[in-house]
Amino acid sequence: MELSEVRCSSATEELYTINKTPSSSDNSSGSGGGSARPKRLLWQNAVRHITEQRFIHEQGGGGGVKDDPFDPIQGARKQSAGRTSVGDRHNNGGTKVFPERASSDLGFLQIDCAPSNSDFFLNWGYTYRGVIFPTLRNAFKSRDLERLYQRYFLGQRRKSVVVMNILDVVTKLTLLVLHLTLASSPMDPIKGMLLGFFTGIEVVICALVVVRKDTTSHSYLQYSGVVTWVAMATQILAAGLGYGLLGDGVGYVLFTLFATYSMLPLPLTWAILAGLFTSGLHILVQLLISESAQLFTNQVAAQAVLFMCMNTAGIFISYLSDRAQRQAFLETRRCIEARLRLETENQRQERLVLSVLPRFVVLEMINDMTNVEDEHLQHQFHRIYIHRYENVSILFADVKGFTNLSTTLSAQELVRMLNELFARFDRLAHEHHCLRIKILGDCYYCVSGLPEPRPDHAHCCVEMGLSMLKTIRFLTLAALTRNSINLLPNHLAQALHVHSGPEEINKRIESAIDLRSGDKLRREHIKPFSLMFKDSSLEEKYSQMRDEVFKSNLVCAFIVLIFITAIQSLLPSARMMTMVIQFSILIILHSCLVLVTTAEDYKCLPLVLRKACCWINETYTARNVIIFVSILINFLAAMINILWCDFDKPNTFKNQTYNESASIPDICFYPEYFVFTGVLAMVTCAVFLRLNSVLKLAVLLVMIAIYSLLTEAFYTSLFVRYDTVHHNTENFLGTKETSLLLMAMFLLAVFYHGQQLEYTARLDFLWRVQAKEEINEMKELREHNENMLRNILPSHVARHFLEKDRDNEELYSQSYDSVGVMFASIPGFADFYSQTEMNNQGVECLRLLNEIIADFDELLGEERFQDIEKIKTIGSTYMAVSGLSPEKQQCEDKWGHLCALADFAIALNESIQEINKHSFNNFELRIGMAHGSVVAGVIGAKKPQYDIWGKTVNLASRMDSTGVSGKIQVPEDTYLILKERGFAFEYRGEIYVKGISEQEGKIRTHFLLGRVQPNPLILQPRKITGQYSLAAVVLGLVQSLNRQKQKQILNENNNSGIMKGHHHYNRRTLLAAGGAEVGGGHHAEAPEKTDLS
């Protein structure tokens, strides 16, 4: 079994909805003139910017979902991708319109495929078997990112500087009060001056940090940290010179080291240098200057090991906490980037919708769907929007001789020519108040007088036609094929170019940092003191989050145990064998803890042990039990030797002298080292970064209580004897009292450090949950965009623009040698359509036509028709093509797609008969088919359209127009291919085909009767109805916008958003760009809407 098979995952992955204030980039649309400089097409911008900010490096490979080892919702590093069900998304207020797909056939990248954390860092550290070891190059590669993080980091440490200085000042004032109260002699003037001087410095630092809390630059905090450390190091020097307030100053050195690494806002390199200098300074002062006592070599070595242990623990604490904060900072950045991308997706989807439908229709659909419920979703798929206009003018413009021209030009030249021509026509339509309805091959179709009625609509159409004639004369075909000049207005090109670049992300990060520096989030989501989430479900999920640094914390605690053992071995007790046995047992026990918690990374270990390791790492209670056992082991190692001190035999120490000729010193002669190693055991609590701060406080209080009991009730004589021998009786506080004061300082420091770490971790968790939620929303929007593209372009065409980095001016064009083309018309519909009161002024006629076309579209959802692409509908005529996919051009059965097209034509006849039964009509289809070479391409700028051109298209159209109702007419060449593949035909004869018969004579044609051999794919199940529906896409857009609006309202009401951007997202940002169209207030009659249920 592989390692990933024993990785546990969290039991739940539901997301907690957090109030967020969505923001939006400014709407860049506006008036603007044309430009001769080539611009990227509007729709091409839309599809290309969907994957503009690619997260995956080329060497990362594939578009699959990468595991995010730091996903708090996953709980495991190898599983849990894509578990959110459709029903779960409904709980978040989102309607999942489309079915889940494992991968995108359009080549879309997954939203949450982000680069690994190591891609952002100069060095992400060394990890061995899940244990993270510190590195000094833990910095971001980007200078801007590092600058923002330093601001974030220093802002988090601002309070720590104040608290640490206040703690030091309070300690000094307490000593001063005790001295004035208990001391029999006045204080040494030098001590008094030093006390006042250092207290003043620390008070000034506190005042500076508090006063400048709102400043934009936090670099002064680093310098205040350096000044604080210098003040503390100077006090260590004073203690060495005999002017300290805490005995020989070893305890204060330990406190200084802990504060340097965990509370002062110093980079790790600075902290290490400061820690080493502090440790070396004290040892050097004691060796060279101190005359208060003679030091044994082992005692000096013990102090060195003591300081080395505190430095090591400090490095682990500083690095791991900084790593966690950097990781959280990246999560924050990803969250902000996800928000910007979500806003961009919303705007882009609106533009994609607007590229298909006129703005006033989209507005009506959005207003109609705003409050739609999930149970009414299916009714939206066949809803039809009809507007009736009394006076309009319609213009058709056909390019004469285009069919012959298409045979002489290359695909690229043909598409470039049409795109340039129709782009100019679009601009003319805008100038002459016309609305382009669609492009029919080489025919341009526009209307004047809608949506806003115009009394001069006929004049506008005439002017439009004259301008088109001038354009044709000015732009000769030769010039068109040589030059491609896109004259789109700048504001239109910019409208789709929504770019959420690094600068905008950095601005949002700065805003987020400012907000996180306050206490607003603490009051909203987190209980005071206990720091538990107010929401119980969120607290449960937080407790289930995998602790990625737990193994490293436990290894660090084990290292502390080794140091404690080394210190007490340098000052061994009289019972050497007992000490060896007890420390061996403790080390073995702690080694077992390390083994159990890291077993999942060793495949050679038994599966049961690895599963147990997995369970421990994933279970909050189990981790806490391991932590408490680890702390207990270190605590026992620190204090158990005191039990073997023979304090009932004072004669042993009578007239005892301490000189360098004596044997190895006994730790019972130096009871303060029990306290020092006890402090190391207290620091073990700080090593476990994710341990609840209240639990830390409880453990620390128990430790101090036990030490107080031992020193006050049982082993007081050890400290009294030490003070007597070392002449400490002159001080107003003995070693015992000083040690308790030192432990109290560490208790407060470790507890506050734990509070800060937990508070930061919980805020980070909120950010991660928010990022996960917004990424899920963005994935849903991305899916809507993908389906929107399916409504605009075939899948292989979309891939063409999404998968490759192409020039801005490059158009899509492709030549095909063997495709099938079909036209299916309803010749009786023109006679059926009438505008009378009985049929609601023609609305019922159009409703029936909409039902017919919708049923035809649904047939394309069947597996057997997957090779067929719908091109367009022209009134009551349906156009479809087969064989456009590059894969089908290279398959073994070259004409398999043509057989599918023939089956589709037969299925259309069956579908129309089924409709006749339910509507009591007698419609018949007249279908024409042909095959051959065509040119395909995408033309149009604001409203892209995929189309095909060529003699084959003209032939198929003539097969329809010259055909017979209820029959499928094909030319001779198509007949010969289909006859060999199981289809039956009836010979019709020779007919005249305009545009072809002039050169080739009459065309022999046949009627397709049906299949002689059954189609093996006919029993394939249908796909879900409406999955590619345009209405479904619009509905998804509306629901996403509604969620954004609701979140914005919540944030504005309670002023509680996690992040406030510089702009607020307006649901009508894009749709309102049309000015008068916003209100939908055209003067035509009220639109008719009907549900086809």
Side-chain angles (χ1 to χ4, degrees):
M1 180 177 288
E2 294 297 324
L3 175 62
S4 59
E5 295 177 317
V6 299
R7 293 279 189 181
C8 297
S9 61
S10 297
T12 180
E13 289 188 2
E14 292 90 355
L15 294 177
Y16 180 79
T17 302
I18 302 174
N19 297 335
K20 297 183 285 290
T21 302
S23 305
S24 173
S25 302
D26 289 334
N27 183 19
S28 58
S29 61
S31 61
S35 172
R37 185 168 58 91
K39 295 286 186 182
R40 181 182 298 176
L41 298 183
L42 295 181
W43 68 270
Q44 193 170 337
N45 274 326
V47 297
R48 288 194 55 179
H49 282 293
I50 289 177
T51 53
E52 180 186 42
Q53 297 179 353
R54 294 180 182 268
F55 273 129
I56 300 179
H57 292 287
E58 292 297 332
Q59 62 270 25
V65 178
K66 288 187 179 180
D67 295 325
D68 188 351
F70 299 100
D71 189 344
I73 308 299
Q74 284 181 336
R77 290 178 284 181
K78 298 294 183 182
Q79 298 178 358
S80 81
R83 293 188 182 179
T84 305
S85 67
V86 174
D88 292 336
R89 295 189 182 186
H90 288 174
N91 296 333
N92 281 340
T95 301
K96 187 71 177 64
V97 179
F98 305 102
E100 292 282 354
R101 290 187 296 276
S103 62
S104 168
D105 61 340
L106 292 188
F108 281 91
L109 293 176
Q110 297 293 335
I111 302 293
D112 50 356
C113 288
S116 62
N117 289 333
S118 59
D119 294 329
F120 288 94
F121 291 90
L122 295 174
N123 191 332
W124 185 228
Y126 174 71
T127 303
Y128 178 77
R129 304 291 187 177
V131 179
I132 303 169
F133 293 95
T135 177
L136 297 180
R137 301 185 64 209
N138 190 34
F140 292 113
K141 295 177 181 178
S142 169
R143 293 184 178 180
D144 290 337
L145 201 59
E146 181 65 22
R147 176 184 58 81
L148 288 172
Y149 171 73
Q150 288 301 327
R151 179 181 173 186
Y152 165 74
F153 168 77
L154 294 173
Q156 294 291 320
R157 289 289 180 94
R158 184 178 61 83
K159 286 186 178 180
S160 297
V161 176
V162 176
V163 170
M164 200 279 300
N165 281 282
I166 290 177
L167 180 59
D168 203 26
V169 169
V170 170
T171 303
K172 289 182 173 63
L173 295 180
T174 301
L175 290 173
L176 178 61
V177 172
L178 291 176
H179 185 277
L180 296 177
T181 305
L182 303 178
S184 56
S185 58
M187 179 179 289
D188 189 319
I190 297 180
K191 284 186 178 182
M193 292 174 59
L194 291 175
L195 175 64
F197 176 73
F198 292 123
T199 301
I201 290 179
E202 291 171 341
V203 169
V204 169
I205 292 175
C206 291
L208 176 65
V209 173
V210 170
V211 168
R212 300 194 59 183
K213 65 178 180 179
D214 296 327
T215 184
T216 57
S217 175
H218 290 74
S219 58
Y220 74 94
L221 286 171
Q222 286 187 336
Y223 300 111
S224 66
V226 172
V227 173
T228 301
W229 170 78
V230 170
M232 299 179 76
T234 308
Q235 294 175 71
I236 294 171
L237 179 61
L241 296 174
Y243 297 104
L245 297 175
L246 287 174
D248 58 4
V250 176
Y252 193 74
V253 173
L254 295 177
F255 177 76
T256 301
L257 293 176
F258 179 79
T260 300
Y261 286 102
S262 62
M263 302 184 74
L264 294 182
L266 300 177
L268 182 58
T269 304
W270 293 17
I272 292 175
L273 294 176
L276 294 177
F277 182 82
T278 301
S279 306
L281 176 65
H282 179 79
I283 294 176
L284 185 63
V285 168
Q286 281 204 325
L287 289 176
L288 301 180
I289 302 176
S290 178
E291 299 178 356
S292 59
Q294 295 177 344
L295 297 177
F296 287 98
T297 303
N298 284 32
Q299 187 179 351
V300 175
Q303 289 186 12
V305 175
L306 191 67
F307 298 153
M308 190 182 301
C309 177
M310 186 61 76
N311 277 282
T312 303
I315 291 173
F316 267 90
I317 293 172
S318 177
Y319 172 75
L320 294 178
S321 60
D322 180 68
R323 179 188 174 103
Q325 285 188 329
R326 286 181 181 272
Q327 176 187 317
F329 180 78
L330 281 183
E331 293 290 345
T332 301
R333 185 184 186 279
R334 287 169 179 165
C335 174
I336 293 171
E337 187 171 10
R339 178 181 297 280
L340 290 174
R341 290 163 65 88
L342 182 61
E343 294 168 4
T344 303
E345 290 292 334
N346 273 320
Q347 297 176 34
R348 186 174 296 122
Q349 182 150 359
E350 289 181 6
R351 289 179 171 89
L352 286 174
V353 172
L354 290 175
S355 72
V356 179
L357 299 174
R359 177 179 285 107
F360 67 93
V361 177
V362 177
L363 275 174
E364 185 180 342
M365 294 178 70
I366 287 182
N367 289 331
D368 194 44
M369 294 178 175
T370 297
N371 299 315
V372 70
E373 299 293 337
D374 292 348
E375 57 268 21
H376 299 147
L377 179 62
Q378 294 298 327
H379 297 287
Q380 299 296 322
F381 290 152
H382 290 180
R383 174 163 290 191
I384 182 172
Y385 293 84
I386 301 175
H387 298 256
R388 189 164 61 87
Y389 299 92
E390 296 294 338
N391 294 298
V392 299
S393 294
I394 301 174
L395 182 147
F396 282 89
D398 195 4
V399 180
K400 186 178 179 180
F402 181 80
T403 300
N404 293 331
L405 181 65
S406 65
T407 61
T408 61
L409 297 178
S410 67
Q412 291 78 10
E413 291 172 337
L414 183 69
V415 172
R416 186 183 300 116
M417 181 194 71
L418 285 177
N419 183 76
E420 173 63 20
L421 183 62
F422 291 149
R424 290 176 181 269
F425 285 176
D426 283 345
R427 185 179 180 188
L428 291 175
H430 178 74
E431 293 176 354
H432 295 292
H433 310 288
C434 294
L435 177 66
R436 190 242 283 182
I437 302 301
K438 64 175 61 178
I439 296 172
L440 308 174
D442 59 329
C443 178
Y444 191 90
Y445 169 23
C446 64
V447 180
S448 179
L450 64 87
E452 294 292 336
R454 296 184 61 90
D456 60 342
H457 56 85
H459 176 76
C460 291
C461 263
V462 171
E463 290 294 333
M464 175 68 182
L466 293 175
S467 298
M468 293 171 76
L469 292 176
K470 293 179 181 178
T471 300
I472 286 286
R473 295 190 187 102
F474 177 74
L475 295 176
T476 62
L477 293 180
L480 285 173
T481 56
R482 286 197 306 267
N483 303 290
S484 176
I485 304 175
N486 193 336
L487 296 181
L488 280 176
N490 286 333
H491 73 279
L492 292 178
Q494 294 170 359
L496 274 185
H497 190 80
V498 181
H499 182 63
S500 55
E503 293 183 0
E504 179 65 19
I505 296 175
N506 291 344
K507 290 180 181 178
R508 298 286 186 95
I509 292 177
E510 290 178 356
S511 176
I513 291 173
D514 293 338
L515 186 62
R516 293 187 65 171
S517 300
D519 295 327
K520 186 184 300 180
L521 288 179
R522 183 196 293 267
R523 292 193 302 267
E524 279 182 23
H525 299 286
I526 301 174
K527 297 177 182 178
F529 187 72
S530 67
L531 297 185
M532 297 180 66
F533 288 113
K534 295 180 179 180
D535 186 277
S536 57
S537 62
L538 193 59
E539 178 64 30
E540 180 182 359
K541 293 170 189 175
Y542 176 77
S543 64
Q544 294 173 353
M545 184 174 66
R546 184 183 179 97
D547 185 1
E548 295 295 332
V549 296
F550 173 62
K551 300 174 185 177
S552 305
N553 299 153
L554 193 63
V555 169
C556 181
F558 180 74
I559 293 174
V560 172
L561 173 64
I562 299 299
F563 277 115
I564 292 175
T565 303
I567 293 168
Q568 300 216 11
S569 298
L570 291 171
L571 303 171
S573 65
R575 304 187 182 185
M576 180 67 71
M577 186 56 64
T578 303
M579 188 182 72
V580 171
I581 294 174
Q582 70 190 20
F583 278 114
S584 299
I585 294 174
L586 294 177
I587 290 175
I588 291 173
L589 289 176
H590 212 300
S591 300
C592 292
L593 294 182
V594 174
L595 177 64
V596 168
T597 54
T598 58
E600 64 179 352
D601 295 289
Y602 293 88
K603 295 183 180 180
C604 59
L605 295 177
L607 181 60
V608 175
L609 182 59
R610 293 161 61 197
K611 286 186 176 180
C613 170
C614 172
W615 177 78
I616 290 173
N617 279 276
E618 301 296 337
T619 308
Y620 177 74
T621 305
R623 290 200 307 267
N624 282 348
V625 170
I626 296 292
I627 290 172
F628 291 146
V629 173
S630 173
I631 295 173
L632 176 62
I633 290 174
N634 285 14
F635 178 68
L636 289 175
M639 58 81 63
I640 196 169
N641 266 351
I642 199 173
L643 301 177
W644 318 131
C645 290
D646 196 0
F647 60 90
D648 290 331
K649 298 181 180 180
N651 293 332
T652 306
F653 302 100
K654 280 188 178 180
N655 300 322
Q656 178 75 35
T657 59
Y658 297 85
N659 52 56
E660 297 180 0
S661 63
S663 59
I664 297 176
D666 193 324
I667 193 172
C668 295
F669 297 166
Y670 303 93
E672 60 179 356
Y673 282 90
F674 290 123
V675 178
F676 297 153
T677 53
V679 165
L680 296 182
M682 296 175 69
V683 172
T684 305
C685 293
V687 166
F688 293 99
L689 306 181
R690 282 281 305 279
L691 180 62
N692 183 270
S693 58
V694 176
L695 295 179
K696 286 184 180 179
L697 178 62
V699 172
L700 293 171
L701 289 174
V702 169
M703 294 172 71
I704 290 183
I706 294 176
Y707 265 97
S708 300
L709 180 64
L710 291 175
T711 57
E712 292 291 339
F714 300 105
Y715 297 95
T716 304
S717 60
L718 293 180
F719 294 91
V720 172
R721 181 175 62 232
Y722 179 80
D723 290 338
T724 302
V725 172
H726 289 77
H727 308 290
N728 287 343
T729 55
E730 299 176 359
N731 295 329
F732 64 95
L733 288 181
T735 303
K736 180 180 63 176
E737 292 79 11
T738 303
S739 300
L740 291 177
L741 181 60
L742 174 68
M743 298 188 77
M745 293 175 63
F746 266 95
L747 181 144
L748 296 176
V750 172
F751 172 66
Y752 178 78
H753 176 257
Q755 285 257 306
Q756 286 296 104
L757 284 179
E758 185 173 6
Y759 171 63
T760 303
R762 288 178 179 271
L763 288 184
D764 298 341
F765 177 74
L766 291 178
W767 279 105
R768 289 172 176 175
V769 171
Q770 181 194 20
K772 186 74 174 180
E773 184 183 63
E774 294 195 348
I775 284 174
N776 283 339
E777 289 184 14
M778 193 163 27
K779 288 170 66 177
E780 186 173 331
L781 269 180
R782 179 67 56 86
E783 195 170 61
H784 286 309
N785 283 341
E786 182 177 327
N787 284 277
M788 186 68 202
L789 287 179
R790 285 194 182 94
N791 282 278
I792 302 175
L793 304 171
S795 297
H796 68 279
V797 180
R799 283 199 301 268
H800 172 85
F801 292 101
L802 293 172
E803 291 181 347
K804 298 180 181 180
D805 186 15
R806 302 186 177 276
D807 296 334
N808 293 348
E809 299 82 16
E810 184 175 356
L811 302 174
Y812 176 81
S813 58
Q814 185 68 48
S815 296
Y816 295 94
D817 295 329
S818 54
V819 300
V821 183
M822 183 206 76
F823 285 86
S825 61
I826 308 175
F829 186 80
D831 297 332
F832 171 77
Y833 179 79
S834 62
Q835 296 183 0
T836 64
E837 293 184 359
M838 293 183 62
N839 62 18
N840 194 14
Q841 300 298 322
V843 169
E844 295 303 318
C845 299
L846 295 179
R847 184 182 73 85
L848 180 59
L849 178 62
N850 179 71
E851 182 70 15
I852 294 172
I853 298 301
D855 280 3
F856 290 175
D857 289 344
E858 289 176 7
L859 283 175
L860 292 177
E862 296 187 15
E863 187 71 22
R864 56 181 174 148
F865 300 138
Q866 62 179 343
D867 300 332
I868 301 174
E869 293 284 354
K870 173 187 175 182
I871 301 300
K872 68 179 78 170
T873 56
I874 310 165
S876 59
T877 300
Y878 194 92
M879 179 182 178
V881 180
S882 66
L884 292 176
S885 174
E887 294 82 4
K888 299 305 173 184
Q889 294 289 318
Q890 302 173 359
C891 62
E892 295 181 0
D893 187 1
K894 180 180 180 181
W895 298 111
H897 65 86
L898 188 61
C899 296
L901 188 63
D903 286 328
F904 182 65
I906 297 172
L908 291 183
N909 270 327
E910 296 173 355
S911 177
I912 198 70
Q913 295 304 321
E914 188 70 18
I915 292 173
N916 286 336
K917 291 180 182 179
H918 293 88
S919 63
F920 306 103
N921 285 294
N922 57 352
F923 292 123
E924 289 185 329
L925 285 181
R926 187 181 66 202
I927 302 176
M929 285 179 55
H931 80 278
S933 60
V934 299
V935 173
V938 180
I939 59 174
K942 184 177 180 182
K943 294 183 178 181
Q945 180 170 319
Y946 179 81
D947 212 339
I948 59 174
W949 305 271
K951 187 169 68 174
T952 303
V953 179
N954 187 38
L955 178 60
S957 176
R958 299 303 179 186
M959 290 295 100
D960 168 28
S961 60
T962 61
V964 178
S965 295
K967 300 289 186 178
I968 304 172
Q969 183 173 226
V970 301
E972 179 79 10
D973 293 340
T974 306
Y975 154 77
L976 294 175
I977 293 174
L978 294 178
K979 180 183 178 182
E980 299 297 327
R981 286 166 171 78
F983 290 91
F985 288 89
E986 174 188 339
Y987 178 68
R988 179 188 183 185
E990 295 183 349
I991 63 172
Y992 178 82
V993 176
K994 181 181 178 181
I996 298 178
S997 295
E998 291 85 352
Q999 290 83 21
E1000 302 179 10
K1002 291 186 177 181
I1003 305 297
R1004 290 171 56 88
T1005 62
H1006 301 258
F1007 288 133
L1008 172 61
L1009 302 180
R1011 266 190 177 270
V1012 177
Q1013 301 174 0
N1015 184 0
L1017 298 177
I1018 199 168
L1019 298 179
Q1020 289 291 334
R1022 287 179 134 188
K1023 295 184 179 179
I1024 298 176
T1025 300
Q1027 64 173 329
Y1028 301 135
S1029 168
L1030 178 61
V1033 177
V1034 176
L1035 176 61
L1037 171 63
V1038 170
Q1039 291 171 332
S1040 175
L1041 296 177
N1042 281 342
R1043 287 196 298 269
Q1044 293 287 330
K1045 185 177 180 181
Q1046 291 170 3
K1047 294 171 186 176
Q1048 178 178 344
I1049 292 174
L1050 287 174
N1051 290 334
E1052 290 175 349
N1053 288 341
N1054 56 24
N1055 195 26
S1056 62
I1058 287 184
M1059 172 182 59
K1060 287 189 178 291
H1062 298 288
H1063 313 288
H1064 293 290
Y1065 189 81
N1066 182 359
R1067 186 170 64 89
R1068 297 290 181 83
T1069 299
L1070 306 175
L1071 300 180
E1077 294 176 337
V1078 174
H1082 47 76
H1083 302 289
E1085 295 183 12
E1088 299 286 348
K1089 296 191 288 284
T1090 177
D1091 281 338
L1092 303 182
S1093 55

